[in-house]
Structure formats: C-alpha cells, structure tokens
Amino acid sequence: MVFTSPKTALPASEGPLTDILRGLRLDGVDYGRCELSEPWAVLFPAQKAARFHFIGRRGCWLFSPAGEWIELTPGDALLLPRGAEHVVASAPGIPAVPIESYTVEPLQDNVFNVSNGGHGPKILLFCGSMHFNLDGSHPLLGMMPDMMRAKELMAGEPGIPHLLQAMAGEITMNRAGSGGMLARLADVLAASIIRSWVENSGGDTRGWIAAIRDRDIGRVVAAIHLQPDRNWTVEALARKMGASRSAFAERFTAVVGETPARYVARIRMHQARQWLIDDRMRVSVVAARLGYDSEASFSRAFKRIIGIAPSHLRTVDGTSENR
C-alpha cells in the first residue's frame, strides 16, 4: 500500500517559520478507510513513516505509545509523527490483530478499504501513513511528542475545526471520489497539526523551537535548512542576522544551545544521510555536493556526527556501494 503522490507542501504563517515549513513535504502517502464491526482491535506496528487517524463514526479507544488507554470520539484526529507502535480498539483489553491481518481491498488510487467481516456495530476510521521528506534525526521530528491530537490544538489553529468537519462529511457520506478528498484533507490536517504545535507548544526557552520563534535567529536557521549544501561560515550567518560575528555567535549559542558551526555541521550531515538513504546517492556525489575536497574528509565528518561511516549506511540500507 505504498503510493507516491505529488509533493504536498505544508502550510505556513509569516516569518522564519514560513521558510522552515515550506521546506517540509509529504512525499508519499497511503490510506485506509476502515469499516470495522465490534469487537475489534487493530495493532499498528512501529514504522518510520508518520501515522494519522481520523475517527468518523462511533467512538473507540487508543492504547498510546505512553502505555495508557485514551478514549476517542467522532471527529477526533491524531498524528503520530514518528510512527510509534499503538493499538486502536473498540474497547480496552481486546486482543489486538495487526492491520495486515484485516481484509484490505483497493478503493481508489492510494486509498484502500479495510474491514473485518463482523456483524456488530460498525465504526468508520480513516487511517494513513505519511512520509515526510525529513531525515529521522531532524530537529523538528526529534522534538515532537509521540502523539498529537487535533482537538488539543484547535485554539491555536482556527482552520482545524473546519478541516475536521469536512473530513467527517466525506467519510460518512461515502460519495464517489470521497477517498481522494479524504486523502487531500488528511494531508492538510496533518500539516496544520504540525504548524499549530510548532507555533503554540510550550517547553524550554532554548532549542530549535525557540530558535525559529526568534525572528533574527529564526531567519538564520531557516536559511541553513533551505540551503544545507551551502558552505555556511559564521561570518555569512552573522550577515544574515545583521550582527557582528561575535554578537551573532553568542546569541545563537544562547538560543539554540549549540554553536553555529556545530549546528550547520549537524544539519549538513542529516541532509547527507537523507541523500544517501532516500535518494540513494553515491558517497562521492554527496561529498562533492557538500563541497568537500575528498570523499575521505566527508566520510570522517559524517562518522563523527552520525556515528557510522556513510558507506556502511548504504550497505545496511541494502544498496551496494558503487562509487
């Protein structure tokens, strides 16, 4: 059930956050319109892709990654950005069955109909896997909670209630083309959940979130993320902020929690990791793209930050290392 769709950009507000979110994309998505008869319990195993759930009709329960049962009601929408293992069930305590064990039939394009063939009261769910164009160690993914609930973010994102209403209408009416409409709405809703969390979440006054909320530092961070292959110097970054080298370095370190040079190096290696795994680039190509004089010097920098040699990463991923 893997589908590669046209890249769907995440919405963004004005300021540095705009540039950061414009760089995020949904590269590939698959969905399931689930009509399940009680009793039922679905195990969603851990995966690299994000998981998305929308409750269309009748309530249910979720056994969260934190190990607790949470009651869900019609109109609830959840995003699990790192795809942590969880269970969705008609009631707590029902033995869970992996999603692959249910009857799965193509509905349209990248949408599948999922059922269990029972005769009890039926629930309607819309579930999806969302593949973001981010390395798994990207600061944004690393700081997100295991689960985000749309209703908890509605106060900071006025568009979320309208998206929930639109999804509820599409899933319950089951009109022609509703699967495609639901898929598009799910993309936008997941993006809105992320944006609302970034803009309104609490937490430390230092780190990535604090950086992009700071207009000056955020402008610098956005530039680094938009052009990770550029050879950023501290002087060039200071000019972006309109400050002296020393004043910029001091403020950046205070807000972000690490030096500008260290941050740039980390983001460049995260980008390299993504090129190696997702785009299957050769190590020599990645080294040249990042401006290294030799493949050896790039490999040393990569191993120092990521922890393994880039050639080993490609081998583990199942790709032979042909330079």
Side-chain angles (χ1 to χ4, degrees), residues 23 56 122 145 167 201 219 245 283 288:
K122 293 184 177 181
M167 289 197 72
S201 64
R219 186 165 60 249
R245 185 183 186 281
V283 175

Side-chain angles (χ1 to χ4, degrees), residues 8-262:
T8 302
L10 276 73
S13 55
E14 295 304 318
L17 181 60
T18 301
D19 295 329
I20 291 289
L21 293 186
R22 279 177 182 158
L24 304 185
R25 297 288 186 273
L26 298 172
D27 290 337
V29 187
D30 57 66
Y31 303 96
R33 185 183 186 277
C34 309
E35 193 166 9
L36 306 174
S37 299
E38 296 180 3
W40 57 270
V42 182
L43 170 65
F44 292 91
Q47 64 177 29
K48 290 183 179 180
R51 291 276 192 191
F52 173 86
H53 298 296
F54 176 77
I55 315 303
R57 185 176 65 206
R58 298 184 64 85
C60 61
W61 292 79
L62 176 128
F63 190 67
S64 73
E68 59 181 356
W69 284 101
I70 300 172
E71 187 173 10
L72 305 176
T73 58
D76 254 326
L78 306 172
L79 180 67
L80 293 92
R82 288 182 295 276
E85 180 178 288
H86 59 286
V87 173
V88 181
S90 56
I94 297 174
V97 177
I99 183 66
E100 294 82 6
S101 300
Y102 286 80
T103 301
V104 179
E105 300 174 336
L107 189 60
Q108 64 181 87
D109 294 332
N110 59 323
V111 184
F112 300 81
N113 195 60
V114 181
S115 61
N116 62 351
H119 301 287
K122 293 184 177 181
I123 188 173
L124 275 177
L125 306 171
F126 191 73
C127 307
S129 292
M130 300 183 170
H131 303 270
F132 294 100
N133 68 329
L134 293 177
D135 178 74
S137 53
H138 188 283
L140 178 58
L141 287 180
M143 295 184 71
M144 284 183 188
D146 285 332
M147 184 181 74
M148 290 182 280
R149 196 171 182 178
K151 287 185 175 180
E152 296 173 351
L153 299 168
M154 287 195 300
E157 188 64 50
I160 287 180
H162 300 295
L163 290 168
L164 294 174
Q165 290 171 11
M167 289 197 72
E170 289 294 334
I171 197 172
T172 54
M173 287 187 291
N174 196 22
R175 297 169 57 189
S178 62
M181 289 290 291
L182 282 165
R184 294 293 185 181
L185 289 168
D187 289 355
V188 178
L189 180 55
S192 298
I193 290 172
I194 293 172
R195 181 177 68 179
S196 182
W197 177 80
V198 171
E199 289 181 328
N200 301 293
S201 64
D204 294 339
T205 56
R206 295 202 322 166
W208 194 82
I209 296 294
I212 62 171
R213 287 178 181 170
D214 183 299
R215 181 162 293 274
D216 293 332
I217 298 297
R219 186 165 60 249
V220 174
V221 170
I224 295 169
H225 282 267
L226 288 172
Q227 293 182 286
D229 52 347
R230 178 173 170 179
N231 185 23
W232 290 106
T233 63
V234 176
E235 289 80 4
L237 294 172
R239 286 195 297 271
K240 275 281 181 185
M241 197 179 88
S244 67
R245 185 183 186 281
S246 59
F248 160 72
E250 182 179 354
R251 185 172 172 189
F252 187 98
T253 304
V255 173
V256 179
E258 60 184 322
T259 66
R262 174 64 181 174

